[in-house]
Amino acid sequence: MKNGAETLTISYPSDHYEEALDGRMILLISEQMETEPRFQLRDDSKTCQGFGMDVEDWTSGASLSFDMEAFGYPIQALEDLPDGDFYVQVLFHKYETFNRADGHIVKLPMDRGEGQQWNRAPGNLYSTPQQVSIKNGKFPALNIELDQKIPPIEEPEDTKYVKHIKIKSELLSAFWGRDMYLGAHVLLPEGWEENPQVKYPLAIMHGHFPSDFGGFSTTPPDPNLKPEYSERFKVDGYNIMVEQEAYDFYKTWTGPGFPRVIAIEIQHPTPYYDDSYAVNSEAQGPYGDAITYELIPYIEKQFRGIGEGWARFVYGGSTGGWEALAVQVKYPTEYGMCFAACPDPIDFRAYCLVNIYEDDNAYYKEGPFRKTLVAGHRDYLGNVDATLRDMNYRELVLGSKGRSGQQWDIWEATYSPIGADGYPKRIWDRVSGKIDKEVANYWKENYDLAYILKRDWIKHGHDWKNKIHIYCGDMDNYYLNNAVYLAEEILSETSSPYYHGEVDYGDRAEHCWNGDHENGNHISRLRYHQMFVKKYVDKVSMIAPRGSDLYSWRY
């Protein structure tokens, strides 16, 4: 710190780790202790303060001095902190070394069963929060011991309906230079055991890392469950609603008249995020091929899937929405239909509120005499509570070189070419916001889904016909509807053949709207399986080859 503040030294007990550690040291400062500071870093004004620094070769016998010039969010410099009494906590996010097949050696956080959550990752070290007084940008000299270690996570157990699988991926293991695994939670249809001659379509839900098959419960809600308020949806007792929906889904799934399919939720975390975005990329490796040609055929063989492209359909929201459309685009004949809800940007002319091809800076709209910060998050009335710069600065605290495990960094890890250091090239400078047009062009040719659809329609239009369905709220919190508008223009102009799909919008609907005009987001987001299994079945005869089995699994 420029004004000569006291030092902050950090150590950890020798019984936590014997080997030297690499990782990210995160200093967190908060006014309140309703939750630990490690759970308070967020994009809006309710955030705590964070600072981050890289650490290499740190041994338990050595105290580490925190870098007082470390980059911070929302305040960038320690010396600019306000006066007052605050709670301080330090967390160490552990990295591992990967010797990749491309010759690069990189240090990244390996997922440890939590889905790449820096504040919950087993093996990470953190301190017990303590209160300090800060004055004139200084706090007293502190010796902080990382006395806590996050414990391992228990694996879920199989039940009659839900099975859990994990396979070693030869493709990913070869790329990363170590054993790498893919997993899935498999929901079997009613009557699966009693009908061993039947083979089933495969319903593939993409999305963030699932700890188990979500939203399915064979028991009703606990009548003594205390209602909890949902800040996101402004609904009281939402925890009870979630449990009731899970039980209702079980009754629907096993009841008469519901199509009998196998449903899966995939686990494919990477060292960059809680999932891979289900496509091949330079920085993460061949996840698209691994899922499509290793994991899915394994599941179909193990649980009697039909095993043909028309009998696999994909759906999901947000990240899962982008993935659903992406795998349909990248693998036109391997998947029979996609339902993409509130997808991450599918046209990079509207990368949220940035046009990466025409804008010079991601953080500002600039004129000759002033510049205006670009919004990052809004509510359904348009009230902005975070800017794009806020979001990126928070990630920069959590990790350099794209290692935050957060949203903007995973987009780079998926879409960008590799730099000389082996890490993904930045689409824009993380501090200034200046856009790299060379990287933008690489993104366009490889991952701009709307552009690829337009470019390749002559080649693959017949394989995409009847398969593409997109849904988005017109007040999406992250402005994702703007990219959907542009993609819809491209789809509506298709010919020979016309796309014969669907694009639909929810009036004043926020993020995660998925095509349900009758219920709010807080309910419809819990009904993906019920909604899209039925949509697929209603339309499957349009894409299935003549002679396909469309009836034996509809008992």
Side-chain angles (χ1 to χ4, degrees), residues 204-207 314-325 338-343 469 471 513-514 528 532:
I204 304 161
M205 183 172 180
H206 280 288
V314 291
Y315 50 96
S318 193
T319 291
W322 190 93
E323 291 171 328
L325 181 60
C338 77
F339 302 93
C342 52
H469 311 80
Y471 312 93
W513 188 80
N514 60 8
Y528 273 81
F532 296 125

Side-chain angles (χ1 to χ4, degrees), residues 324-376:
L325 181 60
V327 299
Q328 188 67 78
V329 170
K330 294 280 188 178
Y331 303 91
T333 62
E334 298 294 343
Y335 297 96
M337 218 173 292
C338 77
F339 302 93
C342 52
D344 290 357
I346 56 176
D347 188 314
F348 295 154
R349 292 174 295 172
Y351 185 55
C352 297
L353 288 181
V354 180
N355 183 330
I356 67 171
Y357 311 125
E358 296 184 4
D359 294 341
D360 293 321
N361 193 288
Y363 297 161
Y364 304 99
K365 298 297 183 186
E366 299 183 82
F369 302 110
R370 65 159 290 169
K371 56 185 182 180
T372 303
L373 281 167
V374 173

Side-chain angles (χ1 to χ4, degrees), residues 90-391:
V90 176
L91 181 142
F92 180 76
H93 191 25
K94 183 176 176 289
Y95 293 169
E96 297 181 22
T97 299
F98 296 83
N99 294 276
R100 289 200 317 238
D102 59 8
H104 288 290
I105 299 174
V106 293
K107 296 181 178 182
L108 296 162
M110 185 71 173
D111 181 77
R112 298 161 223 150
E114 86 292 352
Q116 280 295 359
Q117 303 300 316
W118 63 274
N119 50 12
R120 299 181 186 273
N124 278 359
L125 308 177
Y126 64 98
S127 67
T128 301
Q130 57 182 289
Q131 193 171 36
V132 300
S133 294
I134 296 177
K135 188 173 183 180
N136 298 323
K138 302 179 183 178
F139 50 78
L142 293 175
N143 296 307
I144 293 180
E145 183 178 56
L146 306 185
D147 56 337
Q148 306 291 320
K149 185 177 182 180
I150 301 176
I153 293 174
E154 293 185 10
E155 297 283 347
E157 296 183 359
D158 285 354
T159 68
K160 174 184 176 182
Y161 293 102
V162 180
K163 310 298 180 182
H164 308 88
I165 67 164
K166 184 177 182 180
I167 67 167
K168 177 184 173 182
S169 166
E170 298 299 334
L171 291 170
L172 297 174
S173 298
F175 176 84
W176 284 103
R178 63 162 70 183
D179 289 350
M180 299 291 282
Y181 296 86
L182 293 170
H185 309 306
V186 181
L187 179 62
L188 297 177
E190 179 70 10
W192 182 83
E193 292 180 345
E194 293 78 14
N195 293 274
Q197 78 286 356
V198 176
K199 293 186 177 181
Y200 301 87
L202 188 66
I204 304 161
M205 183 172 180
H206 280 288
H208 296 288
F209 182 89
S211 58
D212 204 338
F213 198 97
F216 182 87
S217 176
T218 58
T219 57
D222 181 351
N224 299 316
L225 190 63
K226 182 179 178 181
E228 295 178 357
Y229 179 75
S230 169
E231 179 185 2
R232 175 180 177 183
F233 298 112
K234 309 296 187 292
V235 174
D236 197 22
Y238 188 55
N239 57 324
I240 298 174
M241 296 180 193
V242 170
E243 291 204 6
Q244 185 63 53
E245 285 290 325
Y247 181 59
D248 289 347
F249 176 40
Y250 156 69
K251 291 189 292 184
T252 298
W253 182 260
T254 59
F258 193 81
R260 306 309 183 192
V261 303
I262 300 167
I264 67 171
E265 297 181 357
I266 302 175
Q267 286 185 324
H268 48 120
T270 83
Y272 284 100
Y273 198 52
D274 66 11
D275 82 4
S276 68
Y277 272 68
V279 293
N280 299 344
S281 67
E282 282 202 14
Q284 298 191 106
Y287 273 91
D289 286 356
I291 292 169
T292 301
Y293 300 123
E294 292 181 325
L295 180 65
I296 287 176
Y298 177 89
I299 292 170
E300 289 170 331
K301 183 178 180 180
Q302 186 88 352
F303 298 103
R304 302 199 314 272
I306 291 172
E308 298 177 24
W310 70 267
R312 302 169 183 146
F313 61 103
V314 291
Y315 50 96
S318 193
T319 291
W322 190 93
E323 291 171 328
L325 181 60
V327 299
Q328 188 67 78
V329 170
K330 294 280 188 178
Y331 303 91
T333 62
E334 298 294 343
Y335 297 96
M337 218 173 292
C338 77
F339 302 93
C342 52
D344 290 357
I346 56 176
D347 188 314
F348 295 154
R349 292 174 295 172
Y351 185 55
C352 297
L353 288 181
V354 180
N355 183 330
I356 67 171
Y357 311 125
E358 296 184 4
D359 294 341
D360 293 321
N361 193 288
Y363 297 161
Y364 304 99
K365 298 297 183 186
E366 299 183 82
F369 302 110
R370 65 159 290 169
K371 56 185 182 180
T372 303
L373 281 167
V374 173
H377 187 274
R378 64 178 174 181
D379 67 12
Y380 75 100
L381 294 175
N383 299 305
V384 175
D385 59 10
T387 69
L388 195 58
R389 189 182 68 174
D390 293 331
M391 295 171 156

